[in-house]
Amino acid sequence: MYECIIIGCGPAGMAAAIYFSRQKLNFLIITKTIGGQALLSADVENYLGYHKVNGVELVEKFKEHLKDYKINIKDNEEVNKIEKLNNHFKVITNKGNYECLSILIASGENPRKLNIPGEKEFYNKGVTYCAVCDSPLYANMDVSIIGGGNSAMDAALLAEKYSNKIYIVTINDKLMGEQEMIKKIEASKKMTVIANAKTKEIIGDKFVKSVKLDVNGKEKIINVNGVFIEIGLVPNVEFASLVEKNKWNEIIVDKRNATNIPGIFAAGDVTDVTEKQIITAAGEGGKASLDIIKYLESKNIVVAKGGY
């Protein structure tokens, strides 16, 4: 019986794990991947203590910190369901069942899909949701970035280092997000912004060849070898039917990161916290861990054995 199970191992889950380890909690992390959405970030310039670092490098630093403690991590394991028993919970995964007294859901988000013809067929054949992972594969090629927010601009600025021509396709009439990124894109000779454009189809044979757009009601074809889909994220909550969510399917939490189910807490991008940032997720994970400890103590479970 674990005192807590953390679902997810992004910044929120990893921060909570550090606090739990220092408190000598008997806990477990279950995760599909270590690092979460932080791995997909290009240049991170707003994480305290790092003037400039990419997401992969930052996650490596997080992992090094975890290695200071003997943390039990079930990697490459997916949670399918949470069940509430008499006075504890059962976490059911694709590989086994685990029982615990409390749960921290820190499962983050997944890329939002366009759900258009060609998207599924050409996934990993020119269609990608990870600019950090795949931009080097499109060196000296033409690519399109679908989206007009910070994620899309981040992907475009990364693609600029490798690709020949970058088309940024947005349904809005202009780019929306951080002004510094907009200025960089406007100054780039490689980038073209196509506004008021709906992406209708991804076309190719063995690999992507072009993208069909509807621009102000007129059909437009752009010839590209890569399509980076950056239209936002959706919370990873398929397994979390017990807890209450808002209209965006984010888990609703109070100021102590508690859900509507006593004993189940949530932190990071999977919640209704207003800002989805690496540093925010880490802070929420640390805060949630302290409140989980208080919850367990209120149930007369001895947990405070270490130091903060």
Side-chain angles (χ1 to χ4, degrees), residues 71-88:
I71 295 175
N72 189 3
I73 302 178
K74 298 290 185 181
D75 194 9
N76 296 315
E77 192 160 343
E78 185 171 0
V79 174
N80 294 328
K81 189 178 181 182
I82 296 171
E83 291 183 353
K84 190 178 188 312
L85 305 180
N86 289 331
N87 58 356
H88 64 287

Side-chain angles (χ1 to χ4, degrees), residues 93-110:
T93 77
N94 60 328
K95 295 183 179 180
N97 300 333
Y98 309 90
E99 296 189 11
C100 59
L101 299 171
S102 64
I103 293 172
L104 174 58
I105 301 174
S107 49
E109 298 179 301
N110 292 320

Side-chain angles (χ1 to χ4, degrees), residues 152-222:
M153 290 189 288
D154 196 31
L157 291 170
L158 181 59
E160 185 183 28
K161 300 176 183 179
Y162 305 99
S163 298
N164 178 45
K165 182 76 175 177
I166 301 107
Y167 298 94
I168 304 176
V169 179
T170 174
I171 60 173
N172 299 312
D173 59 359
K174 61 181 179 179
L175 298 177
M176 304 176 70
E178 292 183 15
Q179 290 301 308
E180 285 301 313
M181 286 198 286
I182 292 175
K183 289 178 182 178
K184 289 178 182 179
I185 286 169
E186 290 175 343
S188 174
K189 295 180 180 179
K190 287 187 174 184
M191 298 196 200
T192 298
V193 178
I194 304 175
N196 299 308
K198 296 180 180 179
T199 308
K200 305 298 290 184
E201 184 179 358
I202 298 168
I203 303 166
D205 40 46
K206 292 183 179 179
F207 297 94
V208 168
K209 296 294 183 183
S210 62
V211 176
K212 182 188 294 185
L213 307 175
D214 179 333
V215 184
N216 289 317
K218 296 182 180 180
E219 184 179 290
K220 181 180 179 68
I221 303 290
I222 53 173

Side-chain angles (χ1 to χ4, degrees), residues 10-15 35-48 50 53 55 58-59 62 106-109 149-154 176-179 181 233 250 257 267-286:
M14 286 191 275
Q37 288 296 319
L39 285 170
L40 308 183
S41 298
D43 293 333
V44 179
E45 299 180 0
N46 57 2
Y47 196 90
L48 189 63
Y50 292 88
V53 63
L58 188 58
V59 168
F62 292 164
S107 49
E109 298 179 301
N150 284 338
S151 296
M153 290 189 288
D154 196 31
M176 304 176 70
E178 292 183 15
Q179 290 301 308
M181 286 198 286
L233 303 162
E250 299 166 327
N257 293 88
D269 289 3
V270 75
T271 73
D272 60 349
V273 64
T274 55
E275 302 299 333
K276 313 295 187 181
Q277 299 283 320
I278 296 172
I279 197 166
T280 306
E284 288 289 298

